[in-house]
């Protein structure tokens, strides 16, 4: 990881921490912050994927996959951004799905890393905590303030993991 990438990850983690602290400070507005974060994240990610498709991936084998994922993520972002006047159940179902899927992917990646004798413990704990956040959000679905607190704590944990990952030394394999 280059210095610029490390700095970018740390700045991104600090922005996530600021949003999480704002949610904890005012849980009533935390719902709107969650909608904004999810909407902005998926919209920007969709635009990045579409830009990648139009600049490079359209000439590659399997490049249409990048187009399709970009369109779907862009649509998810726009959909999430328009859910401000909808009852909070829908956005929390959206969050539960994101955390459960992300946790399952992290657990599967950590199991793969374990098979290859690589570092896997941090990925496994992150996946388990993501699934735990999804379960706690299901339990406290009726109480929006508790669900906002749980989501904010999950964001803080993810931000700390980003900082740890950015400060970790990368290993290089040199073949002579």
């Amino acid at each position: 990881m280059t210095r610029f990438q490390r700095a970018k990850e740390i700045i991104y983690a600090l922005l996530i921490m600021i949003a999480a602290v704002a949610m904890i400070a005012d849980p009533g507005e935390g719902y709107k912050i969650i909608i904004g974060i999810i909407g902005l994240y998926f919209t920007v990610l969709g635009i990045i994927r579409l830009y990648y498709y139009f600049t490079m991936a359209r000439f590659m084998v399997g490049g249409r996959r990048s187009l399709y994922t970009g369109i779907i993520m862009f649509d998810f972002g726009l959909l999430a951004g328009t859910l401000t006047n909808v009852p909070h159940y829908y956005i929390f179902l959206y969050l539960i799905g994101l955390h459960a899927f992300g946790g399952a992917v992290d657990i599967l990646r950590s199991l793969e890393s374990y098979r290859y004798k690589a570092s896997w413990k941090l990925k496994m704990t992150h996946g388990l905590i993501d699934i735990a956040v999804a379960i706690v959000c299901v339990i406290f679905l009726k109480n929006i303030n508790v669900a906002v607190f749980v989501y904010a704590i999950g964001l803080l944990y993810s931000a700390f993991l980003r900082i740890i990952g950015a400060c970790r030394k990368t290993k290089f394999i040199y073949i002579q």
Side-chain angles (χ1 to χ4, degrees):
M1 188 178 291
T2 65
R3 288 183 183 163
F4 177 73
Q5 289 172 333
R6 288 180 199 273
K8 187 174 71 168
E9 284 291 315
I10 290 173
I11 290 171
Y12 185 68
L14 291 175
L15 290 174
I16 289 173
M17 285 181 180
I18 290 170
V21 169
M23 282 189 267
I24 291 172
D26 189 12
E29 293 294 316
Y31 175 68
K32 293 178 184 175
I33 294 173
I34 291 172
I35 291 173
I37 289 172
I38 292 174
L40 184 68
Y41 175 75
F42 278 112
T43 303
V44 169
L45 198 61
I47 290 171
I48 289 171
R49 294 276 172 102
L50 289 172
Y51 176 76
Y52 174 68
Y53 170 76
F54 287 117
T55 56
M56 288 183 66
R58 66 181 168 163
F59 303 114
M60 297 168 33
V61 174
R64 284 191 184 166
R65 183 176 185 188
S66 179
L67 173 69
Y68 298 146
T69 57
I71 290 171
I72 290 170
M73 288 192 183
F74 186 72
D75 286 344
F76 276 154
L78 292 180
L79 175 69
T82 61
L83 293 177
T84 55
N85 296 329
V86 178
H88 71 276
Y89 298 113
Y90 297 115
I91 196 70
F92 280 116
L93 289 175
Y94 205 76
L95 278 175
I96 290 165
L98 288 175
H99 276 289
F101 182 74
V105 167
D106 282 343
I107 288 172
L108 292 173
R109 290 168 92 196
S110 70
L111 291 174
E112 183 181 12
S113 296
Y114 177 74
R115 275 186 243 131
Y116 291 119
K117 309 278 191 270
S119 62
W120 60 275
K121 293 176 185 174
L122 193 62
K123 288 179 191 173
M124 178 65 83
T125 56
H126 189 257
L128 291 174
I129 288 177
D130 261 351
I131 289 178
V133 166
I135 291 170
V136 170
C137 280
V138 167
I139 293 170
F140 294 110
L141 190 62
K142 302 255 186 215
N143 190 351
I144 189 169
N145 290 341
V146 174
V148 168
F149 283 133
V150 168
Y151 184 70
I153 290 170
L155 278 180
L156 284 173
Y157 179 72
S158 294
F160 284 127
L161 284 182
R162 280 187 176 273
I163 291 174
I164 289 170
C167 294
R168 182 182 280 180
K169 285 193 168 205
T170 55
K171 297 178 183 176
F172 293 102
I173 299 174
Y174 293 105
I175 301 172
Q176 295 180 343

